[in-house]
Amino acid sequence: MRLFRHELRSQLRLYGRSRELAFFTFALPLIMFFLLGSVYGNDRIKAEGNVRAADYLLAGMLGYGAIATGFAGLSIMLVIRRESGILKRVRATPLPAWAYVVALLCTTLIAFALEAVCMSAIGRIFFHTHVHNLFSLALALLLGAAAFTTLGLALTVLIKSAEGSSAVVNAIYLPVSFLSGAFFSPHSFPAALKAIANALPLVYVIRLVRDIAVHNQQIWDRPGDVAVIAAWGLAGAIIAARRFRWEPQEG
Amino acid sequence: MTPVISVRGLTKSYGDFEALKGIDFELCAGEVFGLLGPNGAGKTTTIEILEGYRRRDAGEVEVLGADPATAGLDWRGRIGVVLQSSAMYENLTVAEQLAQFAGYYEHPRPVDEVIGLIGLEEKRDTRARRLSGGQRRRLDLGLALVGDPELIFLDEPTTGFDPGARRRAWETIRSLSGLGKTILLTTHYLDEVEQLADRVAVLREGRIVASGTVQELVGGALATEIRYRRNGEFVVLETDEPTRVLHELTTAAIERGEELDGLEVRRPSLEEVYLSLTQAEPE
């Protein structure tokens, strides 16, 4: 446990130091929320039960933040560390593998928690958003972000090089965010796109968050969504546990 | 005394390629041992099997009394590893980096002491990304050293260095040896093992083709050359008995009342010994 605490402190410091990463995965969702909120935050969305667009958007952007921080940020950072040989070097020390990985996941979740707080604050200050059921909401966000972190671990298995990591990751999580209705309501999307979105986890995270924050439900009212998200997270964890590599691609 | 490292009949293949074809060697405590060879000879494969990164196909390997393939975290606390390429967190300073790794060990060496050993006092609070290649390599050494290990693995610690940086790295490695550490080092520079290693094994195509002290290698590998000029043409004699041959040659010349022009007795240079050891024989 001493090693874990030491590693968690170290990882938090490292996270704070990596500006590029912090911008793309942490600040960008906040900026996007501000911009989109300024464009249509005061509308009403008829197709979604005439809710205020800002409330609706906040839920979507929280989902987007979860995938950006948990999935995209974590996997890019890990691939860079793996390919530069840092992970290999850490493996030569007495630090247990679990302590390293769990510290990294906790760091990511803490960063996302901070982002969620900032996002809610922006919503409140600029767009007068209102969220219901904070406890359920926090649980839902934790579940979603945790699932994305294990999927982020699993994704590192597929990425071969540090150079390719942000290209591959962006090519996945940006379209997924779009399809899943993070930026605006997907009700007018063609059926084919909806079908694709329904095969992916983010749509369930966003729906769960919306049902809680906007439609005043509790997380336990939506066991189906919870199960789908948990299954994705579990699948990511299994792939990561079996296939995660500590060494760079070559030698 | 039980050896710190003992390797017997070690083999390893990658697909059809036999990287190691059965090698044997031992390291005693406090010794600096050089594994010398050209690229692709099997140096990194060997050292990474000993570090526990790679599985062997066959043979017996013992490092600090354990099999590296199954050794636990305590065992890892007793070794220090410098990989072939520098690996560190670019956004941490020298001192932070060392403190982070020090935290992984039971009894780390104090960070400032390590900084002194690697000679980076002036760069203590500089982030890794701003260090030069040689400074990074010394920080690499510091990271391997901060856990105060008994055994240190150095995989090509000075490849790509300018002469000044190599000398400084050598100084650091010597100071580690002075602390009583056992060191296994790979290199493709014969002058590096001459400077640092007590004993050497030369790897070629997955086999050890020569081993011993550097003096033994240099002495035993190539015949001594005696040259002189006769009628404007060089005569070159290669011999394992230079004293006798030279004596006969000069006696005969004195009897004939001749001077042997440009008489020279040459020991093979390190470069020549290295090439003769590491390249396939011409025949």
Side-chain angles (χ1 to χ4, degrees):
Chain A
M1 270 329 269
R2 180 190 70 81
L3 281 175
F4 173 71
R5 282 199 305 274
H6 170 77
E7 187 59 22
L8 181 60
R9 264 199 312 276
S10 307
Q11 291 300 338
L12 284 169
R13 174 163 68 185
L14 277 167
Y15 195 92
R17 290 273 173 91
S18 50
R19 297 265 160 72
E20 302 86 351
L21 193 70
F23 178 78
F24 276 104
T25 64
F26 189 91
L28 197 59
L30 298 178
I31 295 169
M32 293 280 285
F33 177 47
F34 183 75
L35 294 176
L36 288 169
S38 306
V39 173
Y40 74 90
N42 286 322
D43 297 355
R44 293 260 166 193
I45 304 179
K46 290 204 180 66
E48 308 283 351
N50 217 27
V51 297
R52 272 197 69 226
D55 290 332
Y56 184 87
L57 178 63
L58 174 60
M61 294 308 289
L62 285 169
Y64 171 59
I67 197 172
T69 313
F71 177 76
L74 180 70
S75 56
I76 291 173
M77 178 169 66
L78 262 177
V79 170
I80 290 173
R81 286 186 188 173
R82 183 187 71 202
E83 293 304 314
S84 69
I86 292 172
L87 297 188
K88 185 174 180 178
R89 162 150 242 164
V90 169
R91 287 295 281 158
T93 72
L95 181 72
W98 70 263
Y100 189 85
V101 173
V102 176
L104 203 58
L105 298 192
C106 289
T107 302
T108 308
L109 293 178
I110 290 169
F112 173 63
L114 203 62
E115 179 173 43
V117 169
C118 291
M119 198 161 302
S120 307
I122 289 175
R124 179 140 237 171
I125 295 165
F126 295 103
F127 310 120
H128 311 288
T129 53
H130 175 75
V131 293
H132 294 284
N133 306 321
L134 270 183
F135 177 68
S136 266
L137 179 61
L139 281 183
L141 288 174
L142 179 66
L143 173 71
F148 283 127
T149 57
T150 66
L151 288 168
L153 286 180
L155 180 66
T156 63
V157 172
L158 298 177
I159 304 175
K160 306 285 181 220
S161 72
E163 292 74 30
S165 63
S166 49
V168 173
V169 171
N170 285 327
I172 295 173
Y173 94 97
L174 287 173
V176 169
S177 302
F178 179 87
L179 284 178
S180 305
F183 307 129
F184 36 76
S185 167
H187 73 273
S188 58
F189 282 7
L193 291 188
K194 281 185 185 168
I196 295 172
N198 283 330
L200 298 166
L202 181 59
V203 87
Y204 299 92
V205 175
I206 293 177
R207 194 159 72 196
L208 182 63
V209 170
R210 270 181 194 146
D211 284 343
I212 294 167
V214 183
H215 300 299
N216 199 13
Q217 297 199 4
Q218 299 290 357
I219 189 167
W220 44 88
D221 298 330
R222 312 292 315 173
D225 290 339
V226 170
V228 172
I229 298 163
W232 273 96
L234 197 63
I238 290 169
I239 293 172
R242 297 170 72 108
R243 302 281 308 280
F244 186 75
R245 284 188 298 116
W246 294 83
E247 297 186 29
Q249 195 67 18
E250 278 309 307
Chain B
M1 195 164 62
T2 48
V4 174
I5 295 180
S6 138
V7 175
R8 238 177 279 283
L10 176 62
T11 64
K12 173 78 180 176
S13 297
Y14 301 108
D16 289 339
F17 175 66
E18 287 181 82
L20 294 176
K21 299 168 184 166
I23 64 169
D24 309 75
F25 63 90
E26 282 191 351
L27 256 81
C28 300
E31 190 174 30
V32 181
F33 187 85
L35 212 48
L36 180 70
N39 291 331
K43 299 189 301 293
T44 295
T45 298
T46 305
I47 205 168
E48 292 203 344
I49 287 171
L50 298 179
E51 288 162 351
Y53 283 121
R54 301 189 194 194
R55 296 301 162 105
R56 60 185 185 270
D57 292 343
E60 288 169 40
V61 174
E62 218 178 69
V63 177
L64 294 171
D67 180 348
T70 55
L73 297 174
D74 290 344
W75 179 84
R76 283 199 233 150
R78 297 167 64 197
I79 64 166
V81 170
V82 171
L83 300 169
Q84 206 168 92
S85 56
S86 291
M88 53 192 65
Y89 294 111
E90 302 295 336
N91 288 320
L92 293 186
T93 68
V94 169
E96 289 168 343
Q97 198 105 233
L98 288 166
Q100 171 153 1
F101 278 81
Y104 299 157
Y105 297 88
E106 288 283 323
H107 305 288
R109 189 171 276 276
V111 165
D112 282 306
E113 199 182 308
V114 175
I115 292 176
L117 269 171
I118 56 178
L120 287 180
E121 291 93 339
E122 316 241 296
K123 300 287 173 185
R124 190 181 185 285
D125 299 312
T126 303
R127 292 193 186 184
R129 65 168 76 252
R130 301 199 188 285
L131 298 177
S132 73
Q135 290 164 345
R136 288 172 68 89
R137 208 58 182 148
R138 279 185 280 151
L139 177 52
D140 259 336
L141 273 173
L143 292 175
L145 187 63
V146 75
D148 201 15
E150 296 160 48
L151 170 64
I152 301 175
F153 295 100
L154 306 174
D155 197 1
E156 297 188 8
T158 68
T159 297
F161 277 24
D162 65 52
R166 286 184 79 202
R167 270 180 204 284
R168 282 192 292 278
W170 288 349
E171 281 311 313
T172 308
I173 294 167
R174 271 196 212 104
S175 61
L176 301 190
S177 168
L179 295 170
K181 309 294 180 196
T182 309
I183 297 175
L184 174 62
L185 120 119
T186 75
T187 180
H188 38 231
Y189 302 121
L190 189 55
D191 57 340
E192 187 152 292
V193 291
E194 192 198 20
Q195 289 285 330
L196 299 173
D198 303 314
R199 284 192 308 128
V200 186
V202 182
L203 265 180
R204 187 176 75 205
E205 291 166 11
R207 286 202 175 84
I208 291 181
V209 292
S211 62
T213 65
V214 175
Q215 278 65 37
E216 283 164 2
L217 288 190
V218 174
L222 284 184
T224 304
E225 266 182 21
I226 298 172
R227 312 163 162 237
Y228 60 98
R229 214 177 289 151
R230 174 187 276 167
N231 306 329
E233 304 233 324
F234 267 116
V235 178
V236 179
L237 302 170
E238 286 192 6
T239 175
D240 293 326
E241 301 172 288
T243 315
R244 189 180 59 74
V245 173
L246 189 64
H247 181 74
E248 287 170 7
L249 192 65
T250 49
T251 311
I254 291 166
E255 282 169 2
R256 288 198 301 275
E258 279 176 21
E259 185 57 44
L260 292 171
D261 264 356
L263 177 64
E264 204 179 358
V265 181
R266 282 182 72 246
R267 302 265 289 145
S269 71
L270 290 177
E271 207 64 36
E272 288 166 312
V273 175
Y274 178 69
L275 290 175
S276 81
L277 287 170
T278 56
Q279 289 177 352
E281 269 96 31
E283 67 255 38

